[in-house]
């Protein structure tokens, strides 16, 4: 695999040299600073990075040293990555918002001797834990504000380091040729970067990536989306996240496109609009925020404008995706869509800063189908990808024209995917990681003996499209008593896409069938009740209303139909459900502070209800202790109804096909 | 009138001294025989209960009022009569208790206006806006952007100031004063009407200005806590008369000050 | 709606501070200028030139002049007519006494003379403000009007008090036909508008606006009120003087002081207010509105087929004109330019309301 | 020589009374509402036209009575349609609005009443009176009409003084002039105040219009008399009723004297085509005066707060 990467372009510094030669006058990096987009060409970036590297060398950075990089998206921090790599040192980007404790752990674990940081805030943070970092020698910083009076024995401004390096390079010809030799001495198999996973599961792990693998992976995706030196991207996601390092570093260097750093964290959206990137990446939550803002702002528009907006969004829903996918659309539909493009979609994308986007990706978590379709129907080429740090981001991605909201696309070129017996997705890819830093045990656990990486996610290939569907974390996927796969999150997420359903908790592991407990969404159901003259006095009353039950039952039946479409999930259709009389609440420990359901705890707490779900009774009494907002404790008791829902019969012949 | 360069005066030496100043309006005496000095590089606070004559003192220093008696020496030069623009010329900038921004202009233009004195190109070049005039305009824009960066108001640089919340207006006004690159900065209640967070921000900026640009600062403030944290030395006025002049710690213990403030909330 | 600003980012201060930072605006203005110079002459007839285009352009220039003083520097003036007269008679006398003088020099001289007189009459602005100043500027209006009517030297002892210009030419090219006159005026107006814009967005403009918005704060940042106000009077009068000369030479041909009476002052003031204080665009919109409305009102009875005596039409015109002024002030006190700005903002944010 | 000068002086003073009458209308409105009412001249013309045309068909007393009603209605309409929608706008906007109103009233008046020259006969003998025939050769000639005007003016001023000092509305008006918000907070509706001052200014306009009309004939040029009242205003201050009267006298006397004394000198020195310096002399006088006393004769000194 690595052989595809030629020896004169198998590290990022070498790519930089190549880009400076091939695209010397083209912009490589922008940063909104002092009110305008300061721009550096590839030749200038090379010049800065070389001077910086020389300066770092003079500060004492040596081959194989680790250099921490802490801060927001700023050119000098990106150059810190390159400058370290030029010297054969290993950059270790760290989340800027990490608390001192986390920071201390990563910096200590990575044995960093040097750190390049953004500003006073980060300097203070590191100094506060310096007793835990005996190996740390020197700090360099980008923003000098407030640091004037600090002891500069081990502290330098990056600008000073660069200036010092530039001077040394100019005065000492040998240093320059030494640096050139150092760059040339870099090998594709060298460690390029260590990315620490955010650590939702236990302590962070340092994912070691090699240069040639990073570059190989980026080459594939650059070709896949035909990115080139004329593209522009916005850099606003954390530098320590694999997504940013992939998009705004690896792909940028391979395709030689231009990356623009935002002015401040608060101005990201305004900067997005100014830059108007052609290649855009955002997690679903950003797209969701954007949509919410669109809807809220439209609420304040005049009646006519609102009607026009609704009408054309409707047109887009009908024809937009088909047009984007190049499918046949009636002429009248095309005409209406063209009008909509002029009146709504074009201006809307313009105001959001998306009008020049050629390729947009979202990943990180499941995106709601409505949300996904909304952007696609506007003509935004939004696609999903599936990946992880260990894969250097990509495992699968949706190719242009083959987009399905509920799949994450086929394996990327040169990626090999296998589904393990327990449903876990395994892969082998060009960009796969080398090891976990200083943790062979974990590395061994994650790799199969034949060199595949375990993703920890359960999934299957969709029968119709051949695209991968991710259903749940592998360890959460259970089995019904008859051995059918039971992916709770997959079912819950499907249910939660209905606006009426705020939360769903599915049970089925080791049981005969799947049953769910539902939390209704008070806002959505409440406004439905208002429209339909359903009178209610409390959440409990509304939740128990027969009409509400009917409505939710309909939602579940639809979900069942969708589950039945795929043989792997067909057996996991929901047979019975109930609507909880109270909202699951973090104060009661039912959900985490980040609103994730604590399944086990809920099962225990509502044991009588679970029993009722499975013993066939039509209703059950429940009494639970609750914590009120003012901290008082009390108890709520209720009689909760249980309902059956229709399921789609499964053809047994299909069952074995997967 | 061109005052001597402030660089001739070493840090810690007297930058401005007020000697026996008496000011009255009609029969009402606002200041009586007030003397004190401001040393280069320090943060000097002027405090006192309402009606103590604090703002009048600032107005005398920067030329709005002409004292009936006494004199003011700035950078070693004693002056008799001067107008505010002469003070500006000499290197004194100030902000007002009630924000005095140019409402019809953006934050950026407001701060740019603060550089009026630093710009030299004549009408003809301005009219053509090419060559030297353009270079000058751009050079000063850059200096202004540095101030915008310093005060962290990037997001509002092109917003008309009338639309800004009060706290940000105060920041823009400080920016305009900084744009003058003053030797002495007079701040009239820089934190009046701010919430705690805004006060903390503003305190940080004041310290940073003093630290980063080395600007000597004289400020009036009501919030005693803020004054004690910020300032190097404090002058206390009461009914137009100086009743104390010492470090914050000493002033806190001064019986005359405590009496003057008795019953006055702070 | 028509704007596509995403991707129009600025990499230099020069681009950021451009007069039209948005590409679509830039194209529109270039298109408009090209239309004015190249397309209009293809079909415009004499009436359009002499009754619409030339008056609108020349009076726009006067409105820009007054706007600099009133809109940007905040000094209300009712003496515009008088300063126009200074320009007109200065140009007349220079052309009369030094017949070989280039026409451009003649107009420059007109502007400079008006500038000198303007500065002289601007001196009271240091002591007085607001309506007191407005009334004081009336002094210049009446004095100048009187001077040009009574001092025989100014009119070269013409027995009727009316003066006329000879044949006009520029670098050997005749400026005789309405089209030639129009193109000449257009060129001057374009160049001078650009100059005005540059002054306004430069140091001088900021000084004016600072003085207008808060004179005390302007003083503490080192702006001398004397300098700010008198420079506004000077530049303003220069523009007004040139427009007066243009009005006399290219619109009227022969004229008497009455052409620059108090009603002219009011007319220009109306343009500035209706168009929008503190907006160059407003000066043009206001001039167009004030010039076109009487034409429209005059034609209206004819269009509607109602026979009316000319006296009645003229009285009705007064009424409608007055009513329109009041109506406009109530609907949008900040003038047509504000309406335009709101519309533009709406288009930029479309489909959002804000 | 002294005789004609005194004669000129007295003539000037009497004309000045008329100026004062018009200026009074300005002051009333400015004082109470801060509006610089440029329509005062048009109101004078309109009032004069109303009285002139009505008195053709009825006795003068009735004509005046109806004119009063007309002016009150006009005040109501202006308050309702112009001032109320523009409340809280800047002074210059209100000023422009009154210019619009002036145009409208000029057009409206002439549409309704016609645009010829009309006469108002006040029943005062036209023949001039002669005084001090023993002191000066030929005596001093004084126009009875101007004396009558002075009397009207005196009565009006006395009336207004009583109105402002004694009546509740008058006191309210003074409160408004001093402080808008304070006035509102004591429960005086601003709209009502405005209506009153405009109506009173309208009635003052009737008086001015009748006197001017009987002197010059009622015609369009009457509305230009308003321009003459402006220097009076600067001289006397925008908010001072005594200022309007004293200013009017100074301007009236000054410009007549200048015409007689300064005129010939100017004509000779500058080779002028006739005099006519009274067109601008009043303004120049006011301007020079302003340079020394910017707040006017009776204005209060403004101390700027910082």
């Amino acid at each position: 695999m690595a052989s595809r990467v030629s020896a004169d372009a198998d590290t990022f510094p070498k790519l930089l040299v190549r880009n400076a030669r091939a695209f010397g006058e083209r912009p490589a990096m922008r940063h909104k600073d002092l009110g305008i987009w300061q721009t550096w060409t590839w030749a200038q970036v090379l010049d800065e990075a070389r001077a910086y590297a020389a300066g770092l060398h003079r500060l004492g950075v040596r081959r194989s040293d680790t250099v921490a990089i802490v801060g927001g998206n700023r050119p000098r921090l990106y150059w810190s990555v390159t400058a370290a790599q030029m010297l054969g040192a290993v950059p270790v980007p760290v989340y800027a918002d990490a608390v001192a404790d986390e920071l201390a752990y990563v910096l200590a674990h990575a044995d960093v001797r040097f750190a390049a940081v953004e500003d006073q805030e980060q300097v203070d943070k590191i100094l506060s834990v310096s007793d835990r970092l005996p190996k740390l020698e020197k700090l360099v910083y980008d923003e000098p504000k407030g640091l004037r009076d600090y002891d500069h024995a081990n502290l330098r401004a990056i600008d000073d380091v660069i200036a010092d390096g530039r001077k040394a390079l100019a005065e000492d010809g040998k240093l320059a040729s030494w640096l050139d030799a150092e760059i040339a001495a870099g090998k594709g198999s060298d460690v390029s970067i260590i990315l620490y996973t955010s650590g939702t599961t236990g302590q962070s792990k340092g994912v070691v990536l090699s240069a040639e693998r990073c570059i190989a992976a980026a080459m594939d995706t650059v070709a896949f989306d035909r990115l080139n030196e004329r593209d522009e991207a916005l850099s606003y996601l954390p530098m320590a996240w694999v997504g940013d390092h992939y998009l705004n570093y690896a792909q940028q260097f391979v395709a030689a496109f231009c990356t623009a750093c935002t002015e401040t964290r608060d101005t990201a959206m305004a900067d997005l609009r100014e830059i108007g990137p052609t290649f855009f990446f955002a997690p679903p939550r950003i797209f969701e925020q954007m949509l919410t803002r669109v809807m809220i702002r439209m609420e304040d528009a005049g009646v006519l404008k609102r009607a026009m907006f609704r009408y054309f969004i409707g047109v887009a829903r009908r024809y937009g995706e088909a047009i984007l996918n190049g499918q046949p659309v009636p002429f009248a539909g095309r005409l209406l869509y063209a009008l909509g493009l002029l009146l709504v979609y074009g201006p809307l994308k313009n105001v959001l800063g998306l009008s020049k986007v050629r390729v947009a990706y979202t990943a990180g978590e499941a995106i709601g189908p409505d949300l996904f379709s909304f952007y696609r129907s506007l003509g935004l080429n939004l696609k999903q990808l599936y990946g992880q740090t260990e894969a250097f981001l990509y495992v699968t991605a949706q190719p242009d024209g083959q987009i399905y909201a509920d799949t994450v696309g086929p394996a990327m070129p040169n990626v090999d995917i296998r589904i393990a017996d327990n449903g876990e997705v395994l892969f082998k890819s060009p960009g796969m990681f080398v090891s976990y830093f200083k943790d062979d045990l974990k590395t061994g656990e994650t790799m199969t003996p034949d060199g595949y990486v375990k993703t920890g996610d359960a999934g299957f290939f969709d029968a119709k499209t051949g695209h991968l569907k991710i259903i749940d974390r592998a360890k959460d996927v259970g089995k019904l008593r008859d051995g059918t796969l039971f992916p709770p999150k997959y079912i819950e997420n499907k249910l939660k896409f209905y606006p009426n359903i705020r939360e769903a908790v599915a049970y089925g592991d080791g049981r005969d069938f799947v049953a769910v407990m539902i939390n209704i969404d008070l806002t959505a159901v409440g406004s439905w009740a208002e429209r339909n003259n359903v009178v209610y006095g409390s959440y409990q009353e509304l939740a128990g209303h027969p009409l509400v039950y009917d409505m939710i039952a309909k939602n579940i039946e639809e979900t069942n139909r969708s589950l039945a479409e795929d043989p792997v999930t067909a057996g996991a259709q929901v047979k019975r459900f109930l609507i909880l009389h109270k909202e699951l609440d973090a104060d009661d420990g039912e959900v985490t502070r980040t609103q994730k359901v604590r399944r086990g705890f809920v099962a225990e707490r509502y044991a009588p209800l679970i029993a009722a779900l499975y013993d066939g009774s039509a209703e059950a009494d429940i009494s639970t202790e609750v914590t009120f907002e003012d901290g008082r404790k009390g108890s709520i008791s209720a009689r909760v109804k249980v309902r059956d829902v229709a399921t789609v019969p499964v053809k047994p012949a299909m069952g074995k096909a997967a | 009138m061109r005052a001597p360069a402030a660089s001739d005066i070493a840090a810690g030496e007297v930058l401005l001294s007020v000697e026996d100043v008496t000011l009255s309006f009609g029969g009402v005496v606002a200041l009586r025989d007030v003397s004190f000095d401001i040393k280069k590089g320090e943060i000097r606070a002027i405090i006192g209960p309402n009606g103590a004559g604090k703002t009048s003192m600032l107005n005398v220093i920067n030329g709005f009022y002409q004292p009936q008696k006494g004199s003011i020496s700035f950078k070693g030069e004693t002056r008799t009569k001067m107008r505010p623009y002469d003070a500006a010329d000499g290197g004194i900038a100030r902000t007002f208790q009630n924000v005095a921004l140019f409402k019809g202009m953006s934050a950026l233009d407001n701060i740019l206006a603060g550089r009026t004195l630093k710009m030299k190109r004549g009408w003809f070049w301005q009219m053509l806006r090419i060559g030297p005039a353009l270079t000058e305009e751009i050079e000063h824009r850059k200096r202004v952007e540095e101030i915008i960066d310093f005060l962290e108001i990037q997001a509002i640089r092109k917003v008309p100031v009338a639309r800004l919340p009060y706290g940000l207006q105060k920041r823009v006004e400080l920016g305009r004063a900084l744009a003058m690159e003053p030797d002495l900065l007079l701040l009239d209640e820089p934190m009046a009407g701010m919430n705690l967070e805004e006060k903390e921000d503003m305190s940080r900026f004041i310290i940073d200005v003093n630290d980063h640009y080395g600007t000597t600062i004289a400020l009036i403030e009501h919030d005693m806590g803020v004054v004690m944290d910020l300032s190097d030395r404090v002058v206390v006025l009461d009914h137009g008369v100086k009743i104390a002049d010492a470090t914050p710690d000493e002033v806190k213990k001064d019986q005359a000050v405590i009496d003057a403030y008795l019953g006055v909330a702070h | 709606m028509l704007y596509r600003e995403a991707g129009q980012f600025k990499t230099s201060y020069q681009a950021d501070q451009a007069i039209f930072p948005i590409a679509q605006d830039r194209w529109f203005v270039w298109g408009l200028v090209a239309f004015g110079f190249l397309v209009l002459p293809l079909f415009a007839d004499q009436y359009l030139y002499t009754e619409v285009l030339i008056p609108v352009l020349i009076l726009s220039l006067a409105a820009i002049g007054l706007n600099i003083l009133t809109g940007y520097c905040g000094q209300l003036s009712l003496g515009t007519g008088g300063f126009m007269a200074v320009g007109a008679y200065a140009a007349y006398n220079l052309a009369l006494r030094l017949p070989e003088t280039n026409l451009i020099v003649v107009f420059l001289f007109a502007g400079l003379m008006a500038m000198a007189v303007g500065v002289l009459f601007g001196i009271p602005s240091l002591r007085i403000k607001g309506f007191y100043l407005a009334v004081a500027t009336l002094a210049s209006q009446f004095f100048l009007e009187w001077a040009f009517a009574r001092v025989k030297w100014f009119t070269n002892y013409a027995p009727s008090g009316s003066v006329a210009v000879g044949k006009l030419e520029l670098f050997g090219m005749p400026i005789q036909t309405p089209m030639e006159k129009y193109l000449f005026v257009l060129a001057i107006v374009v160049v001078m508008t650009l100059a005005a814009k540059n002054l306004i967005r430069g140091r001088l403009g900021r000084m004016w606006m600072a003085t207008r918005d808060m004179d005390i704060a302007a003083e503490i940042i080192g702006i001398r009120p004397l300098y700010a106000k008198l420079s506004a009077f000077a530049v303003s009068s220069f523009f007004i003087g040139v427009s007066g000369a243009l009005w006399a030479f290219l619109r009227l041909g022969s004229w008497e002081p009455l052409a620059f009476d108090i009603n002219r002052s009011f007319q220009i003031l109306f343009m500035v207010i209706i168009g929008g204080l503190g907006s160059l665009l407003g000066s043009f919109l206001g001039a167009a509105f004030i010039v076109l409305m009487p034409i429209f009102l005059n034609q209206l009875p004819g269009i509607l087929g109602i026979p009316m005596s000319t006296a009645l039409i003229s009285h009705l015109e007064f009424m409608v004109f007055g009513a329109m002024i009041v109506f406009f002030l109530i609907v949008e006190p900040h003038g047509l330019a504000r309406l335009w700005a709101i519309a533009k903002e709406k288009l930029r944010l479309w489909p959002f309301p804000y | 020589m002294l005789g004609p000068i005194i004669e000129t002086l007295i003539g000037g003073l009497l004309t000045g009374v008329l100026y004062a009458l018009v200026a009074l209308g300005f002051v009333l409105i400015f004082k109470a509402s801060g509006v610089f009412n440029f329509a005062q001249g048009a109101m004078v013309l309109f009032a004069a036209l109303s009285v002139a045309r009505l008195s053709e068909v009825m006795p003068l007393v009735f004509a005046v009575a109806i004119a009063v009603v007309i002016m009150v209605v006009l005040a109501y309409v202006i308050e309702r349609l112009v001032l109320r929608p523009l409340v809280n706008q800047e002074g210059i906007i209100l000023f422009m609005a009154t210019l619009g109103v002036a145009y409208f009233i000029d057009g409206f008046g002439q549409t309704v009443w016609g645009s010829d020259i009309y006469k108002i006969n006040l029943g005062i003998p036209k023949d001039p009176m002669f005084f001090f025939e023993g002191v000066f050769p030929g005596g001093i000639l004084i126009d009875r009409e101007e004396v009558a005007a002075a009397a009207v003016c005196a009565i009006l001023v006395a009336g207004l003084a009583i109105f402002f000092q004694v009546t509740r509305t008058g006191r309210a008006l003074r409160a408004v002039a001093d402080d808008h918000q304070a006035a509102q907070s004591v429960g005086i509706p601003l709209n009502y105040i405005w209506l009153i001052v405009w109506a009173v200014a309208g009635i003052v306009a009737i008086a001015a219009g009748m006197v001017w009309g009987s002197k010059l004939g009622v015609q369009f040029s009457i509305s230009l008399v308003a321009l003459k009242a402006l220097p009076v205003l600067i001289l006397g201050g925008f908010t001072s009723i005594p200022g309007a009267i004293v200013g009017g006298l100074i301007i009236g006397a000054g410009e007549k004297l200048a015409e007689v004394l300064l005129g010939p000198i100017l004509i000779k020195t500058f080779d002028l085509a006739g005099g006519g310096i009274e067109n601008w002399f009043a303004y120049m006088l006011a301007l020079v005066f302003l340079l020394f006393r910017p707040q006017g004769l009776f204005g209060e000194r403004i101390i700027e707060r910082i």
Side-chain angles (χ1 to χ4, degrees), chain C residues 76-78 128-142, chain D residues 36 38 95 227 229-235 238 283 286-287 290:
Chain C
L76 188 54
S77 163
L78 298 174
I128 53 178
K129 290 174 181 173
F131 291 118
Y132 282 91
L133 178 65
V135 175
T137 57
L138 273 178
S140 65
Q141 172 68 40
F142 288 117
Chain D
F36 185 83
F38 212 86
F95 162 66
L227 294 174
L230 295 178
V232 174
L233 288 176
I234 331 186
L235 210 55
F238 277 32
Y283 282 94
L287 201 55
L290 268 185

Side-chain angles (χ1 to χ4, degrees), chain C residues 241-252:
Chain C
V242 171
S243 82
L246 287 173
W247 187 253
F249 277 43
L250 293 146
R251 170 72 178 87
L252 300 175

Side-chain angles (χ1 to χ4, degrees), chain A residues 32-36 38 74 120 143-149 263-264 266-267, chain B residues 141-142 145-146 149-152 154-155 157 204-205 208 210-214:
Chain A
K32 189 154 189 203
D33 187 27
L34 300 181
I36 50 173
Q38 315 282 356
R74 283 169 164 248
Q120 187 186 15
E143 172 64 62
K145 190 173 149 190
L147 289 167
R148 236 172 66 115
D149 288 348
E263 182 164 31
T264 64
D266 313 330
T267 55
Chain B
R141 166 78 191 270
K142 194 158 173 253
E145 285 291 346
E146 282 162 11
D149 209 48
F150 179 82
L151 294 173
E152 294 162 20
Q154 295 98 332
R157 65 163 70 76
R204 190 160 51 83
F205 287 129
D208 281 351
N210 182 248
D211 179 55
H212 192 90
Y213 297 104

Side-chain angles (χ1 to χ4, degrees), chain C residues 209-222:
Chain C
M209 288 186 268
T211 306
R212 169 196 70 189
D213 286 346
M214 187 148 293
D215 48 0
I216 291 171
E219 267 193 64
I220 60 133
I221 58 170

Side-chain angles (χ1 to χ4, degrees), chain A residues 144-206:
Chain A
K145 190 173 149 190
L147 289 167
R148 236 172 66 115
D149 288 348
Y150 281 52
D151 175 11
H152 272 62
N154 294 312
L155 198 58
R156 291 275 192 293
I158 291 179
D159 271 339
D160 293 344
V161 177
I162 294 178
D164 174 66
R166 184 166 286 131
K167 199 162 139 257
L169 283 175
E171 284 168 1
D172 183 0
K174 270 189 292 194
L175 181 66
S177 46
W178 173 83
L179 185 60
D180 290 337
E182 246 345 63
I183 293 169
K187 294 191 303 291
S189 57
D190 287 350
V191 175
S192 180
I193 197 156
I194 300 175
L195 296 172
Y196 275 78
T197 58
S198 56
T200 42
T201 48
Q203 277 294 12
S204 323
K205 294 170 288 190

Side-chain angles (χ1 to χ4, degrees), chain D residues 97-109:
Chain D
T98 64
L99 262 174
V101 169
Y103 271 74
F104 184 86
I105 297 176
D106 277 345
F108 181 69

